[in-house]
């Protein structure tokens, strides 16, 4: 989540029905007015994730499951190898 020094102020407009629904939901859960920003940020993150996942699935829809798994395994192995190398050989601090 964002920290106080790492935020951007948005001005958004929503329907009155949406405003009432969200504020009622937050109130039912005992959340305060300031929690609206946290709720919105989480909702936006989930929506971005869902759209990215949908686009990714569409991009690989023509691959056979085995071929897709091979690509995933190859990428995972490469990242793990790179991470191990970084941990084994950390950069030296500049003097």
């Amino acid at each position: 989540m964002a920290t106080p020094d790492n935020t951007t102020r948005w001005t958004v407009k929503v329907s009155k029905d949406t405003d009432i629904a969200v504020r009622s939901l937050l109130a039912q859960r005992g959340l305060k007015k300031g929690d609206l920003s946290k709720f919105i940020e989480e909702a936006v993150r989930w929506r971005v994730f869902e759209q990215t996942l949908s686009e990714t699935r569409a991009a690989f829809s023509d691959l056979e499951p085995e071929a897709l798994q091979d690509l995933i395994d190859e990428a995972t192995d490469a990242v793990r190898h790179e991470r191990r190398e970084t941990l084994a050989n950390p950069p030296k601090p500049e003097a």
Side-chain angles (χ1 to χ4, degrees):
M1 283 299 207
T3 59
D5 59 345
N6 190 22
T7 60
T8 300
R9 183 170 296 277
W10 283 6
T11 301
V12 298
K13 292 182 181 182
V14 296
S15 70
K16 189 68 171 172
D17 290 343
T18 298
D19 180 57
I20 292 169
V22 169
R23 291 181 189 277
S24 296
L25 178 74
L26 294 176
Q28 288 171 0
R29 291 186 166 82
L31 301 174
K32 297 178 176 40
K33 185 177 179 181
D35 293 325
L36 179 59
S37 292
K38 292 176 190 172
F39 182 86
I40 291 170
E41 184 166 0
E42 184 177 330
V44 169
R45 286 177 183 270
W46 271 107
R47 185 65 176 138
V48 168
F49 174 74
E50 288 173 351
Q51 286 188 340
T52 302
L53 186 59
S54 177
E55 291 168 3
T56 302
R57 283 182 175 146
F60 290 100
S61 64
D62 61 333
L63 285 178
E64 292 293 322
E66 297 81 19
L68 181 57
Q69 188 61 54
D70 288 344
L71 283 174
I72 293 169
D73 292 344
E74 181 181 328
T76 302
D77 289 344
V79 170
R80 285 180 178 156
H81 176 75
E82 182 180 312
R83 184 71 177 143
R84 285 185 193 117
E85 287 292 319
T86 302
L87 291 172
N89 303 307
K92 295 179 181 176
E94 294 183 25

